[in-house]
Every structure is written in structure tokens, then in C-alpha cells.
Amino acid sequence: MKLLKEKIMNDGKVLSDTVLKVDSFLNHQIDPLLMKEIGEEFANRFTDEVITKILTIESSGIAPSTMLGLTIGAPVVFARKRKSLTLSGNLYSSKVHSFTKNETNEISVSKDFLSPDDNVLIVDDFLANGEAVKGLLDIAQQSGATVVGVGIVIEKGFQQGGQILREQGIRVESLANIKSLANGQIEFFDY
Amino acid sequence: MKLLKEKIMNDGKVLSDTVLKVDSFLNHQIDPLLMKEIGEEFANRFTDEVITKILTIESSGIAPSTMLGLTIGAPVVFARKRKSLTLSGNLYSSKVHSFTKNETNEISVSKDFLSPDDNVLIVDDFLANGEAVKGLLDIAQQSGATVVGVGIVIEKGFQQGGQILREQGIRVESLANIKSLANGQIEFFDY
């Protein structure tokens, strides 16, 4: 996705060989017009699939997922990272380790919002080691829903998450796939 | 806002005299079309103001804020509830107590994304005791930005947050204002 790659090149900050900071348009400040175009691009990539529900995880997955949901007319469900008092019992849960934050969270989705009738597209902002997507896949599988694929805004293709998922036969569509962050330079895979 | 009130009447669940659960369209599952209409209604309410930045808090404020941002062409900044390793230093911070979750979080916004030149609209999903909005106001004030007002999806008008803010001269626009949740019945203020 050309616009996204340009935004990453212009506004992304390489903090190390593995960490790319895109806080100015995706993870902390949000560029709503870019989110709309990302939502439309996800819709294009999965136009051959009937999607009844978009499953993401708080917080940075919410904006692109909501724009996709608006485009295709499907609701979004975001997994919560901690239980709140008004969201107790009746949950699908899974554990997710975040290497960036160096912590393990239990993520949860209410059983009210995923069912065996659902065709689910999983969406997230980043794919690195694949921990968050694995947790969301686990939750979708617990519900009996069908997962039609995974839509990722930025894949770190030099880490193993995408490869592991694709080897399991899961369709993964990344709008930007980073080949390397070495020497402070952002390099994309060409496709 | 008629559509929102209908949604609350049809899909909201009264858990107690003070707790309204709207997990099916706002706080856990998100209705993207409703979010778009909410964003447009906020834009209408504040059409007399120049807004350069929308300030909200993760997670449930993100979807309505992003739709507002799309409508008026302004970026969204969401305050984070915990520090991550890629968001350290250079922060405005404030403490927010959540009565629903019975915990106090430090919320933070990077100094990169708020400045004295900004005209900020604060947006959140709920206004009850006003703790989250007070934290966001504190952060906006630390940055030197001008706060043009507060946009709330659902105000619990029977709690004191809205009154306290309005008595301070802050413009608060709520798209639905609940008068009472007593006896399991949802009653709105008429305006």
C-alpha cells in the first residue's frame, strides 16, 4: 500500500534493528484519513470473502478495524487486555506475551459476540512474533467461528510471526511488510 | 441524538442503578456506522470551533474520535493508560481513577502531539464522575493547548461529573444524557 509505505518512510522512527515507532499516525496519534484508506485496502484484499465480524485487540487495532467495518458493513469486536468489572464471566480468554512491553496479558472476548456462524477477519496494527494474532486465533477457535484470514497494517517480515501463520495455511495480508530496519534504514519487501 | 438513544434503549443493559452496559455497540463490540454518525454529530455540535486535535483515552474513545477526526480533518491522540517501552520519557501524565474497574491508572500523552498552538476537543465514551475527562484536561493544560470543549457519547447525568465540568465553564456536549437507571429502566433527559 503505497500511501502507508510513504507515511512509514516519512514519519516512522527506527529505534533499533527491531523497533519501528509509528506513534505519529497509528499507535498514539491517529491519522483518520489514512485509517480510512487502510480500511478500504483491507476490504479490497478480502473482497472474495464474506466477513461477518472483525476481531482485533485494544488499542491500536481499533481505528483501522472500525474503518474496515464501516467499509464492509461488519461489526468490530476488540479483545480486552484486562478484565473489567462490567465484563466478567462468559468469556473466551487467551494469553498473549508482548515483547515490546515485556509482559503477558490475558486477553478476553465476551461469548456474546463470537459464534460458530461467524466468518472472522482478524486485524492488528503490527505483526512481529505473532503473539497477539495467535491469541486472537485461539479465541476465534474457541468460539467455533471460521477465520477467513488476518489483515495486518505493518508486518515486520524479518521476524517469524508471518511465516509461522502462513505455514499453518492462514491467509495473512500485510499492507506494508518490512524487510529490515538495520542501520536505521527502513527497507520493504517489494510486493 | 435519536439513533444513539434508540440503540441504548434497544441494546443497553442496566446492570445496576449506576451501571449501563453498552458492550454490544460501543465498549467491546463496535458498530462502525453508529460511530460514523456519532463522529458527524460531534462535528455538528462543535461546528463553531476550530479544532486542531481530538484528545481521547484508550480504548473505547478511539472509534468515535477517529470518525470525528475523519469528518473534520483533524488527528486523534489517545492517552495511554500504561507506559510502554516505546513510549517513554517526554510525556504529559495525569492520574485517573476508574470507579468501574476500581483502579487508578496513570495516563500519558507524548509531548510530541500536543502544543500551545492546538485547539483541543476532548472526547470520551462515558462521562460519570468525570475522572477521565479531568485527567485529559490536566494533560491538555500541561501542554498549553486550548480546550474548546468536551464531547461525550453517553453522559450519566445522575452522577456529578458533567455538573462539575460545566460549573468550571467547560463546554460539555453529550449525545445522550441519562437521567436515571433506577429499577432497571433507562430514562434520558429530554434535551
Side-chain angles (χ1 to χ4, degrees), chain A residues 26-28 30 59-60, chain B residues 56-58 62 76-80 108:
Chain A
L26 181 60
N27 294 132
H28 184 28
I30 295 169
S59 291
S60 297
Chain B
T56 188
I57 185 167
E58 61 182 353
I62 293 174
V76 174
V77 178
F78 64 89
R80 290 196 168 276
S108 306

Side-chain angles (χ1 to χ4, degrees), chain A residues 53-57 77-79 109 114 120-123 136 139-140:
Chain A
K53 207 144 284 194
I54 300 154
L55 178 62
T56 189
I57 185 167
V77 178
F78 65 89
V109 170
L114 282 178
V120 174
L121 179 63
I122 291 172
V123 168
L136 293 171
I139 281 175

Side-chain angles (χ1 to χ4, degrees), chain A residues 81-158:
Chain A
K81 285 180 183 161
R82 286 176 298 174
K83 294 172 190 170
S84 79
L85 296 184
T86 60
L87 184 77
S88 55
N90 198 36
L91 296 173
Y92 303 116
S93 294
S94 191
K95 291 211 188 306
V96 171
H97 184 73
S98 164
F99 290 91
T100 317
K101 297 186 180 181
N102 193 26
E103 62 186 19
T104 299
N105 286 295
E106 183 162 284
I107 66 168
S108 306
V109 170
S110 167
K111 291 185 179 175
D112 292 341
F113 304 127
L114 282 178
S115 84
D117 296 334
D118 278 317
N119 284 325
V120 174
L121 179 63
I122 291 172
V123 168
D124 205 6
D125 57 336
F126 268 99
L127 175 62
N129 296 289
E131 290 295 310
V133 170
K134 276 184 252 174
L136 293 171
L137 279 168
D138 181 20
I139 281 175
Q141 282 156 4
Q142 289 174 43
S143 78
T146 303
V147 174
V148 303
V150 176
I152 297 293
V153 181
I154 303 174
E155 180 174 348
K156 291 177 182 172
F158 56 88

Side-chain angles (χ1 to χ4, degrees), chain B residues 9 15 31 44 66 75 81 118-119 130 132 136 142 148 154 163:
Chain B
M9 290 303 287
L15 298 192
D31 178 336
N44 286 339
T66 304
K81 284 178 184 161
D118 278 317
N119 284 325
L136 294 172
Q142 288 174 42
V148 303
I154 304 173
Q163 188 185 345

